[in-house]
Amino acid sequence: QRRVHGKKSIRSLAIHPKLYSFASGSPDNIKLWKCPEGSFMQNLSGHNAIVNSLAVNQDNVLVSAADNGSLYFWDWTSGYNFQSYQAQVQPGSLDSEAGIYAVQFDQSGSRLITAEADKTIKIYKEDESASEETHPIIWKKTLVTKKPF
């Protein structure tokens, strides 16, 4: 038994399907860890909401889902947040029902399934027509890894 996170509760874990590592999500932070020791790899900062769930696929895409209905898509290796999305609540639902409680990739790793506070299950599909021209990524390497605490 080893304490490997911060001061707040851990709400979610996601085990990488290929790499010997996992992610942990708390209300204010996402951290990546290396197995078997549980040594710290890096923080993923920027999802400024209470993260309820994490999922990772074999293409190194980590998704974090939060209480406010936001989905953030991260590159596992670099920690870069390359996309975010705000889920829409079901018509007739309150704005407070925007939360996402659980998120998981299907077997192919290209569809994302969410369980949401507005009593819906949503399935998101990869945009096959997306290209570097239609969806450019503007990124400067700013990754900073910290030593384990």
Side-chain angles (χ1 to χ4, degrees):
Q1 184 174 331
R2 181 175 174 203
R3 182 178 172 187
V4 294
H5 214 275
K7 297 177 181 178
K8 299 203 177 180
S9 62
I10 298 169
R11 290 182 165 236
S12 183
L13 293 173
I15 299 171
H16 196 287
K18 289 184 176 178
L19 304 175
Y20 200 34
S21 56
F22 65 96
S24 62
S26 68
D28 63 347
N29 208 342
I30 301 166
K31 293 179 184 275
L32 302 184
W33 306 92
K34 187 175 175 89
C35 296
E37 305 85 21
S39 55
F40 175 76
M41 290 170 41
Q42 66 179 326
N43 276 319
L44 304 182
S45 300
H47 198 162
N48 298 321
I50 297 172
V51 174
N52 286 327
S53 187
L54 299 171
V56 61
N57 70 10
Q58 61 270 23
D59 294 324
N60 292 328
V61 175
L62 175 71
V63 177
S64 55
D67 261 4
N68 64 359
S70 60
L71 292 166
Y72 275 54
F73 296 80
W74 309 84
D75 176 67
W76 183 276
T77 307
S78 68
Y80 176 65
N81 171 228
F82 63 87
Q83 184 177 356
S84 62
Y85 179 79
Q86 182 64 45
Q88 300 300 312
V89 295
Q90 187 76 355
S93 296
L94 302 172
D95 286 341
S96 61
E97 294 180 313
I100 301 172
Y101 293 140
V103 63
Q104 189 67 49
F105 282 101
D106 72 351
Q107 292 287 5
S108 72
S110 65
R111 286 184 176 77
L112 186 69
I113 305 166
T114 63
E116 304 195 12
D118 65 356
K119 304 170 195 74
T120 61
I121 294 172
K122 295 177 184 159
I123 301 172
Y124 297 91
K125 183 180 147 188
E126 190 175 6
D127 183 356
E128 295 173 7
S129 66
S131 68
E132 289 183 23
E133 289 79 29
T134 62
H135 295 78
I137 295 177
I138 302 165
W139 177 60
K140 295 178 185 171
K141 189 170 182 174
T142 59
L143 176 66
V144 177
T145 55
K146 297 180 182 175
K147 295 181 180 180
F149 46 97

